[in-house]
Amino acid sequence: MSDDPDRPVTYRDAGVDIDAGNALVAALKPLTRATGRPGADAVIGGFGGLFDLKEAGFRDPLLVAATDGVGTKLKIAIETGSHATIGTDLVAMCVNDLIVQGAEPLFFLDYMATGRLEVETARVVIAGIADACRQSGCALIGGETAEMPGMYQGADYDLAGFAVGAVERDCLLPLPTLSTGDVIIGLHSSGVHSNGYSLVRRLVEKSGLAWTAPAPWQPGATVAGSLLSPTRLYVKPILAALRAIGPSRGAIKALAHITGGGLSENIPRVLPDTMEAAIDLAAWTPSPVFGWLAETGKLPDDEMLRTFNCGIGMIIVAAADRCRDVIASLEKSGEAPRIIGAINPRRAGSEGISYSGALVLRP
C-alpha cells in the first residue's frame, strides 16, 4: 500500500479482493449446474435460490432443515493443504440428519469464511460440496464466500452448510408405532467421520506422529489421509429402503445419525421415554483407527461410546417381522447392515441406552 496520503484506499487495500470472488463464482457455475434436480435448476448468482416442491412431486410435504459444520477436522485439511474431501463432510453432516426424519434432501447452501480468498482452495472445497450434493440427489442452489481479513489468519477458513429436505406428512420419522421388540440395525462408518476431532488432534500430537507419517492403523495411508476419510453419505440407500418398505409400510420406524455424542447420546434422541436401546457391542468390529485412539488416549469404552461413532455411522430401528426385508433392501444398495441390538422397556434410572459385551478395539 502506498504512503501517498492522497491515494484512495480501496477495498483490495483493506484485504478484500472482489475480482477474486467474481472469478470463483464463474468457476463454480458448471459445478453447481451439475447438481440440478426436479424442482431446482441449481443456477447460482441471484440473491436467493428457488425450489418448486410441486415439481419435485410432493403432495402433502413437511419441510425439514438442518445446519452443521465439520468441526476441527477442518484444521487437518488446512494444515496439510488437503481440501478435496472436506466438502463431502460438510454435506454429509447435514443431509444425513435430514434422512433420519425420513426427509429427501432437496437443496443445499454453503458458507465459507476466510481471511484471504484463495480461489483454487475455495474451488476445490466447493467442488467437493457439489459432488456430494449430486451423490445425495440435492441441488446446490447458492452459498456465500466471505473474505474477512482480521477475523481469520493465514490460510485459515471455516465452513457451514445448510440443507432443506421434505417428507410426506404421514411418513415422518420416528413413527408412533415404535415399540419394544423392534430390532436395531447398524450401518458401518468410514472411520471417525466429522466428530471428536479436537480429541483426535490432541492424541495425534501426544503420539508425536506427523500428518505425513504412515498411519499405524491403516497400512498404505498417511495419518492425515486416513483421518480425512470423508463422512459417509447414507441418503441414497436409506431413501431406497424407505421407498420400498418404509414408513407407509411400517418396516422402518426410526433412524439415528451417529454424530457428536456417539452412540450413547444419539440413539436415545429418537426413542420415547418409555424405551431404551439395548446394544450388543460385540456385534461388530470397529475399524482399527478407534483401537488406536483408545490405546493412545487410554480411553475406556464409555468415553469412546459418547465421543465417537465407534464404527457405526447410522442406525435403523425396524419392525422385528420386517427386519430381513430391511436388510435385503440395504444390501441391494451395497450396504453391509448388521443387527446390533433391540428396543427394550426403559429401566428405572436408564438414560435410554444399555450395553452388553465389549468393544472389540484393536489398533
Side-chain angles (χ1 to χ4, degrees), residues 5-87:
D6 296 323
R7 179 185 179 275
V9 179
T10 67
Y11 209 6
R12 185 191 292 267
D13 292 331
V16 178
D17 190 340
I18 295 174
D19 292 335
N22 291 337
L24 177 61
V25 171
L28 296 180
K29 284 185 177 180
L31 298 175
T32 59
R33 194 174 295 116
T35 70
R37 52 151 294 153
D41 58 15
V43 173
I44 61 170
F47 286 94
L50 302 178
F51 195 93
D52 186 340
L53 281 169
K54 185 176 180 181
E55 186 179 336
F58 288 90
R59 51 179 174 78
D60 184 23
L62 294 171
L63 292 178
V64 183
T67 183
D68 212 334
V70 296
T72 61
K73 184 175 187 176
L74 193 55
K75 289 289 289 181
I76 303 176
I78 292 168
E79 290 173 11
T80 61
S82 303
H83 309 285
T85 59
I86 207 74

Side-chain angles (χ1 to χ4, degrees), residues 219-242:
T222 64
V223 171
S226 178
L227 292 175
L228 286 173
S229 296
T231 306
R232 289 197 61 208
L233 294 157
Y234 294 103
V235 170
K236 285 196 172 179
I238 291 180
L239 268 183
L242 287 171

